[in-house]
C-alpha cells in the first residue's frame, strides 16, 4: 500500500467513554455521560413529534443542496442562500476547508490547546502546523498574527474555545481580522454559539462583506441536541463557499438530519429554556468549586475545564468507577484538569457529592 506517510504517525479520533462500556466494566446501572458536551435536555419535542409522525423515504437520495434548511437559515441569519455550506456536523466542514486550502508547502496557524481536528486534518493534507499557546485559556491573537507568513493558508479561531471555554472578545476579533492578510482563510468556529451571552457576541456574520476571507462554523450538535444526526453548516462569502462546495460530497447530509435541523431551528423557546438552565447549573457548580478551592476557566459554553489538585486522569478514574464519564485534561493538552459537560440539576448535584468526597480524601492524605 502507498498511503500517505503521515498516516503512520497519526491515530484515529478517540471518542470519550461510552455508557455501555462503563456499565459492563464496573457493573453499574446508573451512568451519567458528561464527556462530549451534548445537551442534557435532549432536543426539541417538535423534532420528536415530527419523526414519530412522518416516515422518511430512505430509498431516495437526500436533497444534496439542503434546500429547505438552507432557505430557513439564510432567512434567520439575514444572509444569502449561496453563502451557506452544509456538512455532516461542522467537523466535516473542517475537513472540507483542510482539503481545499491545505497541502504540502503551506502552513496553518491555530491555538493550543484547541479543537484537535484542525491539526489532525491539516497533517493529513501535508500542511505545516504553527501552534500558539493560549494565555489563561484565551487565544493569543497578536502572537498568532506574528507567526503568519506568506505561506500561511488557514488560521483557526475556536470561539468559545474547546477545551477551555473562553470567548474571543469582540474588539480583539475585529482587530485581528483588520490586520490579517485577506489571502489567509480565517475560520471562526462557533460550535457553542447558542451558549454565548448575547452581549459578548462578536457578530461576525454582520461583517462578512468586510471579511471576504472569513468562514464561520455552526452546528446542530450542541445546543440543538442533534449530535446523533450529524449536521452543521458554514457561512462565508459566495466565492469561498463555491470553492468549498467543490470538495463536498454530493449527498453528505441525510434527509432525516436536514428535516430535524429545520424543525429544531424554528423552536427558539427550546434554545432559550435549555441555555438558561445550563447557565444556572454552571453558576451553581462554579460556586461549589469555589467552596472546595478548585479552579476553573471562565466558560461561555455548556462545559467547564476544571483544574484538579492531582492529575486529571486520577479524578477521571475515580468518577468513572462511580458512573460519571468526563474527559481527563491530559488527553486534551491540559494536564491536571478535567473537562466536564454541565448536566441537569440532578446530575450536577450527584457530581458535586462525588467530588466533595474526593476532595475530602485528598485533604486527608495531606494530614
Amino acid at each position: 500500500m502507498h498511503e500517505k506517510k503521515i498516516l503512520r504517525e497519526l491515530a484515529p479520533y478517540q471518542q470519550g467513554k461510552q455508557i455501555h462500556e462503563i456499565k459492563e466494566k464496573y457493573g453499574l446501572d446508573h451512568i451519567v455521560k458528561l464527556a462530549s458536551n451534548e445537551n442534557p435536555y435532549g432536543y426539541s419535542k417538535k423534532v420528536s413529534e415530527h419523526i414519530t409522525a412522518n416516515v422518511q423515504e430512505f430509498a431516495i437520495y437526500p436533497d444534496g443542496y439542503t434546500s429547505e434548511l438552507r432557505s430557513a437559515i439564510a432567512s434567520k441569519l439575514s444572509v444569502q442562500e449561496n453563502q451557506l455550506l452544509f456538512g455532516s456536523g461542522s467537523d466535516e466542514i473542517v475537513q472540507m476547508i483542510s482539503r481545499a486550502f491545505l497541502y504540502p508547502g503551506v502552513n496553518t496557524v491555530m491555538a493550543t490547546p484547541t479543537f484537535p481536528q484542525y491539526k489532525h486534518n491539516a497533517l493529513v493534507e501535508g500542511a505545516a502546523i504553527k501552534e500558539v499557546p493560549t494565555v489563561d485559556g484565551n487565544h493569543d491573537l497578536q502572537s498568532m498574527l506574528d507567526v503568519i507568513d506568506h505561506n500561511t493558508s488557514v488560521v483557526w479561531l475556536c470561539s468559545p474555545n474547546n477545551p477551555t471555554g473562553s470567548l474571543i472578545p469582540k474588539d480583539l476579533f475585529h482587530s485581528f481580522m483588520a490586520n490579517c492578510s485577506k489571502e489567509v482563510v480565517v475560520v471562526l468556529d462557533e460550535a457553542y454559539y447558542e451558549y454565548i451571552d448575547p452581549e459578548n457576541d462578536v457578530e461576525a456574520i454582520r461583517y462578512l462583506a468586510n471579511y471576504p476571507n472569513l468562514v464561520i462554523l455552526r452546528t446542530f450538535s450542541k445546543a440543538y441536541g442533534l449530535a446523533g444526526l450529524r449536521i452543521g453548516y458554514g457561512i462565508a462569502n459566495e466565492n469561498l463557499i463555491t470553492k468549498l462546495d467543490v470538495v463536498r460530497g454530493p449527498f453528505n447530509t441525510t434527509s432525516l438530519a436536514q428535516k430535524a435541523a429545520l424543525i429544531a431551528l424554528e423552536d427558539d423557546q427550546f434554545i432559550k429554556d435549555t441555555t438558561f438552565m445550563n447557565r444556572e447549573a454552571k453558576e451553581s457548580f462554579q460556586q461549589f468549586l469555589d467552596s472546595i478551592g478548585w479552579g476553573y476557566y471562565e466558560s461561555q459554553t455548556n462545559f467547564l475545564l476544571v483544574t484538579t489538585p492531582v492529575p486529571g486522569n486520577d479524578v477521571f478514574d475515580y468518577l468513572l468507577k462511580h458512573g460519571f464519564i468526563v474527559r481527563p485534561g491530559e488527553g486534551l493538552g491540559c494536564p491536571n484538569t478535567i473537562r466536564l459537560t454541565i448536566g441537569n440539576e440532578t446530575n450536577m448535584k450527584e457530581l458535586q457529592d462525588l467530588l466533595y468526597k474526593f476532595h475530602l480524601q485528598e485533604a486527608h492524605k495531606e494530614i
Side-chain angles (χ1 to χ4, degrees):
M1 294 184 182
H2 301 285
E3 75 275 11
K4 294 178 179 179
K5 292 181 180 179
I6 190 65
L7 299 185
R8 304 169 195 168
E9 304 172 21
L10 298 176
Y13 175 77
Q14 298 297 314
Q15 66 178 4
K17 293 290 184 180
Q18 298 300 294
I19 291 174
H20 71 273
E21 297 179 69
I22 309 307
K23 283 185 175 181
E24 293 173 4
K25 183 174 182 178
Y26 295 104
L28 299 170
D29 294 322
H30 178 58
I31 306 294
V32 179
K33 184 178 178 229
L34 300 177
S36 301
N37 307 333
E38 295 137 334
N39 190 333
Y41 308 105
Y43 49 85
S44 169
K45 289 182 179 179
K46 295 180 180 179
V47 173
S48 183
E49 291 167 358
H50 173 83
I51 292 174
T52 302
N54 297 273
V55 177
Q56 295 287 315
E57 181 51 81
F58 296 122
I60 299 174
Y61 281 111
D63 174 8
Y65 190 65
T66 325
S67 303
E68 284 189 278
L69 182 59
R70 178 184 299 272
S71 177
I73 291 178
S75 176
K76 191 178 185 75
L77 301 182
S78 298
V79 298
Q80 299 300 310
E81 292 187 13
N82 59 17
Q83 291 183 273
L84 296 169
L85 177 77
F86 293 87
S88 177
S90 54
D91 289 1
E92 189 187 19
I93 303 179
V94 170
Q95 187 178 50
M96 292 181 205
I97 293 168
S98 299
R99 189 177 180 189
F101 293 104
L102 297 179
Y103 48 88
V106 303
N107 66 67
T108 181
V109 176
M110 64 197 69
T112 184
T114 194
F115 185 52
Q117 291 304 103
Y118 309 148
K119 182 176 181 178
H120 180 90
N121 282 289
L123 288 171
V124 169
E125 300 301 335
I129 311 296
K130 291 188 175 185
E131 295 180 290
V132 178
T134 57
V135 178
D136 297 325
N138 297 290
H139 282 61
D140 184 352
L141 294 183
Q142 185 56 56
S143 293
M144 294 179 78
L145 280 173
D146 291 343
V147 300
I148 292 173
D149 60 27
H150 65 282
N151 289 322
T152 301
S153 185
V154 179
V155 174
W156 307 89
L157 304 178
C158 189
S159 182
N161 188 37
N162 182 7
T164 62
S166 58
L167 185 71
I168 296 174
K170 182 185 298 187
D171 58 337
L172 295 183
F173 169 74
H174 290 292
S175 176
F176 179 89
M177 292 303 300
N179 288 283
C180 183
S181 168
K182 296 299 185 290
E183 299 300 313
V184 175
V185 175
V186 179
V187 182
L188 178 64
D189 188 344
E190 295 187 320
Y192 298 90
Y193 175 79
E194 290 76 16
Y195 291 104
I196 296 172
D197 294 332
E199 62 271 20
N200 295 323
D201 184 2
V202 301
E203 300 179 297
I205 290 177
R206 287 180 52 195
Y207 296 89
L208 280 174
N210 302 84
Y211 305 142
N213 55 328
L214 177 65
V215 182
I216 302 165
L217 304 185
R218 303 247 178 112
T219 183
F220 286 91
S221 296
K222 304 305 181 184
Y224 286 98
L226 300 181
L229 290 179
R230 312 305 302 126
I231 187 160
Y233 58 100
I235 316 154
N237 72 71
E238 180 186 0
N239 182 50
L240 253 180
I241 292 296
T242 299
K243 292 176 181 177
L244 292 172
D245 219 7
V246 172
V247 300
R248 178 183 63 83
F251 304 107
N252 63 320
T253 61
T254 67
S255 300
L256 182 59
Q258 291 180 28
K259 192 62 179 180
L262 178 63
I263 297 168
L265 186 72
E266 297 170 349
D267 193 351
D268 291 330
Q269 193 62 46
F270 173 80
I271 295 297
K272 182 178 179 180
D273 291 344
T274 57
T275 54
F276 175 79
M277 288 187 284
N278 171 81
R279 190 175 299 112
E280 292 283 295
K282 181 170 62 178
E283 290 175 356
S284 176
F285 189 68
Q286 288 173 327
Q287 291 174 7
F288 161 73
L289 293 173
D290 291 338
S291 73
I292 64 172
W294 287 24
Y296 51 87
Y297 290 80
E298 291 297 328
S299 172
Q300 289 277 306
T301 66
N302 66 336
F303 65 82
L304 281 175
L305 186 66
V306 179
T307 58
T308 53
V310 296
N313 281 323
D314 292 353
V315 183
F316 165 77
D317 289 337
Y318 167 82
L319 291 175
L320 202 60
K321 292 173 183 176
H322 291 84
F324 274 73
I325 312 172
V326 299
R327 291 293 295 269
E330 279 73 10
L332 302 171
C334 304
N336 285 65
T337 66
I338 55 171
R339 192 195 68 190
L340 56 92
T341 308
I342 302 300
N344 62 38
E345 184 178 0
T346 300
N347 293 339
M348 297 310 290
K349 180 62 170 63
E350 293 173 345
L351 179 62
Q352 285 183 199
D353 291 343
L354 284 172
L355 289 179
Y356 186 68
K357 291 176 182 177
F358 183 88
H359 166 68
L360 292 180
Q361 290 176 14
E362 293 302 309
H364 181 72
K365 289 178 183 179
E366 296 176 1
I367 298 176

